[in-house]
Amino acid sequence: MANVNAISILICIFVSFGGFLYGYDTGLISGIQEMSAFINDFGPGGGQPLKSSVRSVIVSILSIGTFFGALTAGYLADRVGRRYAIMVSCCVFSVGVALQTASHSLGLLLPGRVVAGFGVGLLSDLIPLYQAEAAPKHLRGTLVSTYQLAITIGILAAFGVNQGCQNISGRTSYRVPIALQFVFAAVLFFGMIVLPESPRYLLKEGRPEQARSALSRLRGRPPQDTVIVDEMVELEEALAFEASLGVNEATYADCFRGNSNRRTQIGIWIQCFQQLTGVNAIFYFGPTFFRQAGISQAYLTSTITGVVNVVSTFPALYLVERIGRRQLLLMGSAIMFIGQIVVASIGTAYPAKLDNTTGAVISANGPAGVALIVFTCIFIYGFASSWGPGAWVVTTEVFPIRIRSKGVSLSTASNWFWNFILAFCTPYVVDHDKGNLGPKISFIWAFFVFVGGVFVYFFVPETKGLALEDVDELFDSGIPARHSAGYIVKGRHSHSELPQNALGYADKNNTNMHQSEATVR
């Protein structure tokens, strides 16, 4: 089993590098907006800072591309396979990077960000999908969580690159950080050339021998090994059941029919609430946010939050399989709520005095600024150790194989839609010459964190330890989400072994399991 784990871990960790591209762009754009050369090229001139409208468009327009990229990913993954789709995504992303690197006006920068965003949107769907289908079930949550870990490392790397390049004279200061993305895309592209395709995809396409070979490579065992044989039988039975229903290839409309609608709603809303925690408002506009809070070293503070973001993701890799998805998300909601409420309260009680023209700090309460940084870091810990990776894990687990690529696609598109809303609106809400909410916007984020926690409690079932094919049985059982941690897969235990809160649902499941035409395994 150690060999199985080692090969699977290495492959899934490498593939998670796609998250690095997303994270790097998130951290990159917050920093280069503060560079003098960038401000001179894209700002109003005369040393004036970028207008709120310009910052809003530059940051948010990436999400337009990512939204449509995420919607396209499901179709692409089903047509050419998960592996080739990831390689195509790298090429699309590189075209966008080329346009941004060459730009010194909005006329070229904005199209470049849309194209790069399309590539990022594809990857944000395809990477967790590939990981979920490639990972052993007992490691699936942890390995899918490495996608979020890669995002946090990308954000931190961008902060470091920005800090190193900010004092370079001329356009090189912002072009070097942008151009580095060519290297990252090339690493992922060439790595995917040698990695195996998803066995589930190959079986679905009627290529069992190739599926067996791919699974053998993923698990590091010969094709005749009992581990490979048993897993192949499990996959083939799931696909045979799907074929017995007489269904054709799924459409996006199928995601909203019958039992599948519940799963799709879970995927869409959990990704929505992940964005509405407000975490990306900090990473997109960190220097501005901290400056408005009266912190003069806003650039350095953003780097500190980036470090906290990376370090805090590691506990999630353990906790997601130790305590499960639901408890992890609920715990994170509580921590984030406390952090956001305190940040908003400090910003309201001790507002900084800012220059009306430049937005520079004139005076501020020092201890209040320190406390604000501390509780911002507590909030980031709550997010990075729970909702950051947890939302991606749940999204990749709840869908049956027939609609999985399209269901994950819709869920990811939801993430990017709300990412766009957040990135576009935040400057207008917080900037000193607009809404001037500053840190008080954290009251809004706290409200959405609370609602997200309620949603998890009532609607998101526990899927820890279940094979992807067994998750269908969980949804068919009718067990309420809050009792789902006690669910036992049919036929593996006698009724005497079932937990009390799952006993009644097991009988119902035995009777109704195969009567639902809307659910496929």
Side-chain angles (χ1 to χ4, degrees), residues 62-77:
L62 179 95
S63 298
I64 294 178
T66 55
F67 175 79
F68 289 104
L71 286 179
T72 306
Y75 175 83
L76 186 64

mmCIF file of all heavy atoms in Angstrom, residues 62-77:
data_model
loop_
_atom_site.group_PDB
_atom_site.id
_atom_site.type_symbol
_atom_site.label_atom_id
_atom_site.label_comp_id
_atom_site.label_asym_id
_atom_site.label_seq_id
_atom_site.Cartn_x
_atom_site.Cartn_y
_atom_site.Cartn_z
ATOM 1 N N LEU A 62 -10.288 39.145 -15.577
ATOM 2 C CA LEU A 62 -9.765 37.779 -15.634
ATOM 3 C C LEU A 62 -10.883 36.776 -15.369
ATOM 4 O O LEU A 62 -10.947 35.716 -15.993
ATOM 5 C CB LEU A 62 -8.648 37.600 -14.605
ATOM 6 C CG LEU A 62 -8.036 36.195 -14.565
ATOM 7 C CD1 LEU A 62 -6.789 36.149 -15.444
ATOM 8 C CD2 LEU A 62 -7.680 35.778 -13.141
ATOM 9 N N SER A 63 -11.782 37.118 -14.447
ATOM 10 C CA SER A 63 -12.839 36.195 -14.053
ATOM 11 C C SER A 63 -13.877 35.990 -15.140
ATOM 12 O O SER A 63 -14.616 34.997 -15.109
ATOM 13 C CB SER A 63 -13.521 36.688 -12.768
ATOM 14 O OG SER A 63 -12.587 36.741 -11.708
ATOM 15 N N ILE A 64 -13.977 36.928 -16.088
ATOM 16 C CA ILE A 64 -14.872 36.709 -17.230
ATOM 17 C C ILE A 64 -14.345 35.532 -18.052
ATOM 18 O O ILE A 64 -15.091 34.629 -18.443
ATOM 19 C CB ILE A 64 -14.982 37.980 -18.091
ATOM 20 C CG1 ILE A 64 -15.672 39.092 -17.291
ATOM 21 C CG2 ILE A 64 -15.736 37.691 -19.389
ATOM 22 C CD1 ILE A 64 -15.776 40.406 -18.030
ATOM 23 N N GLY A 65 -13.035 35.558 -18.301
ATOM 24 C CA GLY A 65 -12.425 34.441 -19.021
ATOM 25 C C GLY A 65 -12.516 33.144 -18.247
ATOM 26 O O GLY A 65 -12.814 32.083 -18.810
ATOM 27 N N THR A 66 -12.274 33.204 -16.925
ATOM 28 C CA THR A 66 -12.304 31.979 -16.121
ATOM 29 C C THR A 66 -13.708 31.377 -16.078
ATOM 30 O O THR A 66 -13.868 30.151 -16.060
ATOM 31 C CB THR A 66 -11.821 32.249 -14.689
ATOM 32 O OG1 THR A 66 -12.594 33.306 -14.118
ATOM 33 C CG2 THR A 66 -10.357 32.634 -14.662
ATOM 34 N N PHE A 67 -14.727 32.231 -16.040
ATOM 35 C CA PHE A 67 -16.107 31.747 -16.002
ATOM 36 C C PHE A 67 -16.413 30.898 -17.237
ATOM 37 O O PHE A 67 -16.912 29.775 -17.126
ATOM 38 C CB PHE A 67 -17.068 32.937 -15.920
ATOM 39 C CG PHE A 67 -18.526 32.554 -15.986
ATOM 40 C CD1 PHE A 67 -19.176 32.056 -14.873
ATOM 41 C CD2 PHE A 67 -19.229 32.696 -17.169
ATOM 42 C CE1 PHE A 67 -20.520 31.705 -14.926
ATOM 43 C CE2 PHE A 67 -20.574 32.349 -17.239
ATOM 44 C CZ PHE A 67 -21.223 31.850 -16.109
ATOM 45 N N PHE A 68 -16.091 31.436 -18.408
ATOM 46 C CA PHE A 68 -16.379 30.692 -19.633
ATOM 47 C C PHE A 68 -15.413 29.512 -19.814
ATOM 48 O O PHE A 68 -15.780 28.488 -20.392
ATOM 49 C CB PHE A 68 -16.326 31.634 -20.842
ATOM 50 C CG PHE A 68 -17.483 32.587 -20.894
ATOM 51 C CD1 PHE A 68 -17.324 33.921 -20.533
ATOM 52 C CD2 PHE A 68 -18.741 32.157 -21.269
ATOM 53 C CE1 PHE A 68 -18.392 34.801 -20.562
ATOM 54 C CE2 PHE A 68 -19.818 33.023 -21.303
ATOM 55 C CZ PHE A 68 -19.648 34.356 -20.952
ATOM 56 N N GLY A 69 -14.200 29.655 -19.315
ATOM 57 C CA GLY A 69 -13.270 28.527 -19.350
ATOM 58 C C GLY A 69 -13.781 27.366 -18.518
ATOM 59 O O GLY A 69 -13.710 26.204 -18.935
ATOM 60 N N ALA A 70 -14.324 27.676 -17.320
ATOM 61 C CA ALA A 70 -14.849 26.626 -16.453
ATOM 62 C C ALA A 70 -16.046 25.926 -17.097
ATOM 63 O O ALA A 70 -16.196 24.702 -16.996
ATOM 64 C CB ALA A 70 -15.253 27.219 -15.099
ATOM 65 N N LEU A 71 -16.908 26.701 -17.764
ATOM 66 C CA LEU A 71 -18.067 26.099 -18.432
ATOM 67 C C LEU A 71 -17.654 25.225 -19.610
ATOM 68 O O LEU A 71 -18.308 24.228 -19.915
ATOM 69 C CB LEU A 71 -19.023 27.194 -18.916
ATOM 70 C CG LEU A 71 -19.862 27.895 -17.852
ATOM 71 C CD1 LEU A 71 -20.727 28.974 -18.491
ATOM 72 C CD2 LEU A 71 -20.733 26.898 -17.091
ATOM 73 N N THR A 72 -16.562 25.595 -20.267
ATOM 74 C CA THR A 72 -16.080 24.838 -21.426
ATOM 75 C C THR A 72 -15.337 23.570 -21.005
ATOM 76 O O THR A 72 -15.270 22.596 -21.761
ATOM 77 C CB THR A 72 -15.148 25.713 -22.283
ATOM 78 O OG1 THR A 72 -15.820 26.922 -22.622
ATOM 79 C CG2 THR A 72 -14.720 25.006 -23.556
ATOM 80 N N ALA A 73 -14.789 23.577 -19.810
ATOM 81 C CA ALA A 73 -13.911 22.488 -19.370
ATOM 82 C C ALA A 73 -14.606 21.140 -19.375
ATOM 83 O O ALA A 73 -14.006 20.122 -19.750
ATOM 84 C CB ALA A 73 -13.365 22.795 -17.973
ATOM 85 N N GLY A 74 -15.864 21.085 -18.945
ATOM 86 C CA GLY A 74 -16.573 19.811 -18.905
ATOM 87 C C GLY A 74 -16.687 19.179 -20.283
ATOM 88 O O GLY A 74 -16.466 17.974 -20.453
ATOM 89 N N TYR A 75 -17.032 19.993 -21.278
ATOM 90 C CA TYR A 75 -17.132 19.504 -22.661
ATOM 91 C C TYR A 75 -15.765 19.039 -23.158
ATOM 92 O O TYR A 75 -15.636 17.956 -23.743
ATOM 93 C CB TYR A 75 -17.671 20.608 -23.556
ATOM 94 C CG TYR A 75 -17.697 20.256 -25.025
ATOM 95 C CD1 TYR A 75 -18.751 19.518 -25.570
ATOM 96 C CD2 TYR A 75 -16.660 20.661 -25.874
ATOM 97 C CE1 TYR A 75 -18.764 19.185 -26.922
ATOM 98 C CE2 TYR A 75 -16.672 20.335 -27.221
ATOM 99 C CZ TYR A 75 -17.725 19.594 -27.743
ATOM 100 O OH TYR A 75 -17.729 19.270 -29.078
ATOM 101 N N LEU A 76 -14.725 19.855 -22.910
ATOM 102 C CA LEU A 76 -13.384 19.520 -23.382
ATOM 103 C C LEU A 76 -12.870 18.246 -22.718
ATOM 104 O O LEU A 76 -12.268 17.383 -23.379
ATOM 105 C CB LEU A 76 -12.434 20.691 -23.102
ATOM 106 C CG LEU A 76 -11.013 20.576 -23.648
ATOM 107 C CD1 LEU A 76 -11.027 20.530 -25.172
ATOM 108 C CD2 LEU A 76 -10.164 21.764 -23.159
ATOM 109 N N ALA A 77 -13.119 18.105 -21.421
ATOM 110 C CA ALA A 77 -12.650 16.921 -20.686
ATOM 111 C C ALA A 77 -13.292 15.647 -21.213
ATOM 112 O O ALA A 77 -12.665 14.592 -21.263
ATOM 113 C CB ALA A 77 -12.948 17.079 -19.199
#
